[in-house]
Amino acid sequence: MTHTPTHFTILTGGSRGMGLAMAQQLISKDRTLLCISRQHNPELEAQAREIGAPLLQWQQDLADTTGAAQRLRDWLELLSTSQVLSATLINNAGVLPPIGPIDVCPPEALSNALRVGLEAPMQLTAAFLRATGGWVDQGWRGPRKVLNISSGLGRTAMAAQAPYCAAKAGMDHFTRCSALDEAQSPFGARLVSLAPGVIDTDMQTQLRAGDPAHFPDRDRFVGLKEGGQLSTPQAAAAQVLARLDRANFGDLPVADVRD
């Protein structure tokens, strides 16, 4: 761990897709990046080593929500506030369960989607706010931010997508509630639940492969790909991270990059 004051960023789901693109763009000498994912990514390690950037990668099953949250809280509480210029949590990880009506979704897949997509962000946010709130109590005044990666499907219902839509809708609303809580403090954290647009990732591939008999919107996703309307993970990551740097980050707790 570095002893030079640095920016601390925690990112879940940073081993592939837009999460990987965000991790690649966040790696820098003046930032300690902690990636929490099921898989270790050797490309990230090589990139960080090349420029001497501090990078940590935790292999962690986010379905173990309390275990992941306690691990994060313990790590944050070990940090000295003299090391920290800013602290940011990006809840990006999510799971798309088998596509179809909720009555054909395997119970374990339904539970996993809600744990990883909603409970884990809530638990990690709670741990982050609790630990960094202790820093504030000690007189630390650096900015604290929570960026939750949501989806347009959290705001628009879609057949065959009940678990994913519910997780993202819950993410939006818990962000609203937590933003109200933090607003009660003059040094409260700023929170945003952000929809990143439609991105050419494995999730889109999974949607296009859905059974039309169970997924009436399948052709829409095929059309997005064929029409060249999907953002690259790199372009989407740049848009999302640009929001973190805005002076008005948190003024609107629920937002869309397309606004």
Side-chain angles (χ1 to χ4, degrees), residues 7-121:
H7 300 279
F8 280 81
T9 299
I10 303 118
L11 170 68
T12 68
S15 63
R16 62 180 185 172
M18 189 183 73
L20 174 58
M22 283 195 287
Q24 291 169 331
Q25 293 175 32
L26 284 166
I27 287 175
S28 69
K29 290 182 178 180
D30 64 353
R31 182 189 314 277
T32 296
L33 177 62
L34 167 60
C35 291
I36 307 175
S37 306
R38 287 183 67 98
Q39 304 296 329
H40 177 273
N41 189 299
E43 294 178 14
L44 283 180
E45 185 176 327
Q47 179 185 342
R49 188 187 311 114
E50 183 177 351
I51 65 170
L55 171 69
L56 299 170
Q57 294 192 76
W58 289 355
Q59 289 184 260
Q60 173 73 49
D61 183 0
L62 290 172
D64 176 13
T65 59
T66 55
Q70 188 62 54
R71 186 179 182 185
L72 178 61
R73 182 180 176 184
D74 290 346
W75 180 73
L76 288 169
E77 289 180 344
L78 285 174
L79 297 179
S80 167
T81 55
S82 64
Q83 298 173 252
V84 185
L85 297 174
S86 69
T88 302
L89 169 64
I90 305 175
N91 285 306
N92 166 72
V95 173
L96 187 68
I99 298 168
I102 197 168
D103 56 311
V104 301
C105 184
E108 63 277 9
L110 173 57
S111 177
N112 188 62
L114 292 176
R115 285 192 174 198
V116 175
L118 179 57
E119 186 180 339

Side-chain angles (χ1 to χ4, degrees), residues 15-249:
S15 63
R16 62 180 185 172
M18 189 183 73
L20 174 58
M22 283 195 287
Q24 291 169 331
Q25 293 175 32
L26 284 166
I27 287 175
S28 69
K29 290 182 178 180
D30 64 353
R31 182 189 314 277
T32 296
L33 177 62
L34 167 60
C35 291
I36 307 175
S37 306
R38 287 183 67 98
Q39 304 296 329
H40 177 273
N41 189 299
E43 294 178 14
L44 283 180
E45 185 176 327
Q47 179 185 342
R49 188 187 311 114
E50 183 177 351
I51 65 170
L55 171 69
L56 299 170
Q57 294 192 76
W58 289 355
Q59 289 184 260
Q60 173 73 49
D61 183 0
L62 290 172
D64 176 13
T65 59
T66 55
Q70 188 62 54
R71 186 179 182 185
L72 178 61
R73 182 180 176 184
D74 290 346
W75 180 73
L76 288 169
E77 289 180 344
L78 285 174
L79 297 179
S80 167
T81 55
S82 64
Q83 298 173 252
V84 185
L85 297 174
S86 69
T88 302
L89 169 64
I90 305 175
N91 285 306
N92 166 72
V95 173
L96 187 68
I99 298 168
I102 197 168
D103 56 311
V104 301
C105 184
E108 63 277 9
L110 173 57
S111 177
N112 188 62
L114 292 176
R115 285 192 174 198
V116 175
L118 179 57
E119 186 180 339
M122 292 184 75
Q123 292 275 18
L124 291 171
T125 298
F128 176 84
L129 294 176
R130 192 175 294 119
T132 59
W135 301 349
V136 173
D137 292 342
Q138 298 170 33
W140 183 78
R141 294 294 179 258
R144 297 181 294 147
K145 299 178 182 180
V146 176
L147 176 60
N148 292 321
I149 303 301
S150 184
S151 169
L153 291 182
R155 301 155 202 182
T156 302
M158 180 174 287
Q161 292 294 305
Y164 186 79
C165 289
K168 294 304 185 182
M171 176 176 277
D172 286 348
H173 215 47
F174 106 72
T175 303
R176 290 186 183 99
C177 294
S178 296
L180 290 173
D181 291 334
E182 290 298 303
Q184 304 303 308
S185 169
F187 304 106
R190 307 281 281 174
L191 295 93
V192 173
S193 185
L194 182 68
V198 285
I199 309 163
D200 197 1
T201 61
D202 291 345
M203 186 172 291
Q204 285 287 324
T205 302
Q206 189 176 345
L207 290 168
R208 292 193 299 272
D211 182 352
H214 292 299
F215 188 29
D217 288 289
R218 174 184 172 274
D219 287 348
R220 172 188 165 193
F221 291 94
V222 172
L224 288 171
K225 175 68 171 179
E226 293 178 347
Q229 299 178 58
L230 301 178
S231 299
T232 66
Q234 293 75 20
Q239 280 190 298
V240 167
L241 294 177
R243 291 293 181 116
L244 277 170
D245 293 331
R246 290 188 177 185
N248 65 348
F249 179 86

